Amino acid sequence: MAAKVFESIGKFGLALAVAGGVVNSALYNVDAGHRAVIFDRFRGVQDIVVGEGTHFLIPWVQKPIIFDCRSRPRNVPVITGSKDLQNVNITLRILFRPVASQLPRIFTSIGEDYDERVLPSITTEILKSVVARFDAGELITQRELVSRQVSDDLTERAATFGLILDDVSLTHLTFGKEFIEAVEAKQVQEAERARFVVEKAEQQKKAAIISAEGDSKAAELIANSLATAGDGLIELRKLEAAEDIAYQLSRTRNVTYLPAGQSVLLQLPQ
């Protein structure tokens, strides 16, 4: 009798376990911030998107594909060229998430690894296009404009694949070795030029002081000479000046001397 009871309990337990397994396989959970797409072995991917919570499905016929719809970061490094043909190393940080209503299309056309398939290619394409519009100097001085242009173009491009970009920012921007060396050489030249300008100004200042001191000393000597010799020094300077003027005039062909108080008829060329 006891054996029959235990046998009945065993059968009931087995049936309960089987039923529990069937029920468990017919349930699935969608966590917070996630969405599910149902793949049916007979009808393919269904157009409905399942929200958060616990849901039923047909075991062995239907399969849930869970997507994370929260914003996730991704860094995309790109090497491209500027307008003046300088090599530029850029790293773009993107916060992205899929459009929940387009998850069936994303899964069908791209796959679960849509971010690996889409983001690197469109990011490289947009960065190369935008950076080629600026030269190296503009990429540094107009970084905010470059970042905004990349964000606008990339957001528009990603929308065609059913992706939302919550944030796009340039986190790293460097140039090739040749450009860095050229910038450093230019900075050295500018520093040398500035030092030369400062030294030139100091020398001109010293020259002006020496000239002023010389003029002051000359004026003092002239004053002392006038005080000692009277107007004789001035008369001497007048005679020297008159002699120099007469010498210069005598060497000029267009000057003719006429005797004072006499009428002279000049034979001028016609």
Side-chain angles (χ1 to χ4, degrees):
M1 186 68 180
K4 290 182 178 180
V5 171
F6 283 114
E7 185 179 355
S8 299
I9 293 175
K11 291 180 179 179
F12 177 76
L14 179 61
L16 187 63
V18 172
V22 172
V23 171
N24 185 61
S25 63
L27 296 175
Y28 67 96
N29 294 321
V30 179
D31 296 331
H34 293 68
R35 297 292 185 273
V37 173
I38 303 300
F39 173 74
D40 191 294
R41 295 181 185 276
F42 300 104
R43 294 180 296 172
V45 178
Q46 299 184 10
D47 292 333
I48 61 172
V49 177
V50 182
E52 303 165 357
T54 300
H55 306 276
F56 291 94
L57 53 72
I58 303 174
W60 304 292
V61 176
Q62 294 180 331
K63 175 185 176 182
I65 295 92
I66 309 298
F67 285 88
D68 188 351
C69 292
R70 298 170 296 182
S71 291
R72 289 180 291 161
R74 183 181 180 90
N75 293 328
V76 181
V78 176
I79 300 177
T80 183
S82 63
K83 185 178 180 180
D84 53 352
L85 303 181
Q86 296 294 334
N87 288 330
V88 186
N89 300 319
I90 297 180
T91 299
L92 200 65
R93 185 177 184 272
I94 304 171
L95 283 177
F96 70 96
R97 56 188 172 91
V99 179
S101 60
Q102 298 189 32
L103 285 176
R105 181 177 71 87
I106 293 175
F107 178 66
T108 302
S109 60
I110 304 175
E112 291 184 74
D113 56 346
Y114 60 90
D115 56 325
E116 294 288 344
R117 295 171 180 263
V118 172
L119 289 178
S121 61
I122 65 173
T123 300
T124 301
E125 175 192 353
I126 295 300
L127 274 177
K128 287 181 178 292
S129 173
V130 173
V131 171
R133 306 173 197 169
F134 300 87
D135 58 35
E138 292 172 341
L139 290 174
I140 298 175
T141 59
Q142 303 182 27
R143 180 166 178 165
E144 182 179 354
L145 175 61
V146 175
S147 179
R148 185 169 60 251
Q149 188 65 57
V150 170
S151 177
D152 293 342
D153 293 355
L154 190 57
T155 299
E156 181 180 355
R157 188 80 172 87
T160 61
F161 293 93
L163 301 181
I164 298 174
L165 304 185
D166 293 322
D167 182 66
V168 177
S169 58
L170 296 176
T171 59
H172 181 74
L173 193 154
T174 59
F175 298 92
K177 181 179 178 182
E178 296 79 6
F179 179 77
I180 295 176
E181 291 177 350
V183 170
E184 292 176 349
K186 184 177 181 180
Q187 290 175 344
V188 172
Q189 292 178 355
E190 292 294 337
E192 291 292 332
R193 185 178 293 107
R195 185 172 62 84
F196 172 76
V197 171
V198 172
E199 291 181 354
K200 181 180 179 181
E202 291 179 353
Q203 294 298 326
Q204 289 176 342
K205 181 179 178 181
K206 291 179 180 179
I209 293 174
I210 294 173
S211 177
E213 291 177 349
D215 292 341
S216 176
K217 188 64 176 177
E220 181 181 355
L221 293 175
I222 292 174
N224 293 335
S225 299
L226 290 175
T228 303
D231 296 338
L233 180 62
I234 296 176
E235 294 298 330
L236 177 62
R237 292 290 184 265
K238 287 182 178 180
L239 292 175
E240 291 176 350
E243 181 182 2
D244 184 63
I245 293 172
Y247 175 75
Q248 295 297 333
L249 291 175
S250 65
R251 296 171 60 85
T252 303
R253 297 180 179 180
N254 295 330
V255 176
T256 303
Y257 294 94
L258 298 177
Q262 299 182 15
S263 298
V264 180
L265 182 61
L266 296 179
Q267 199 119 27
L268 299 178
Q270 297 297 325

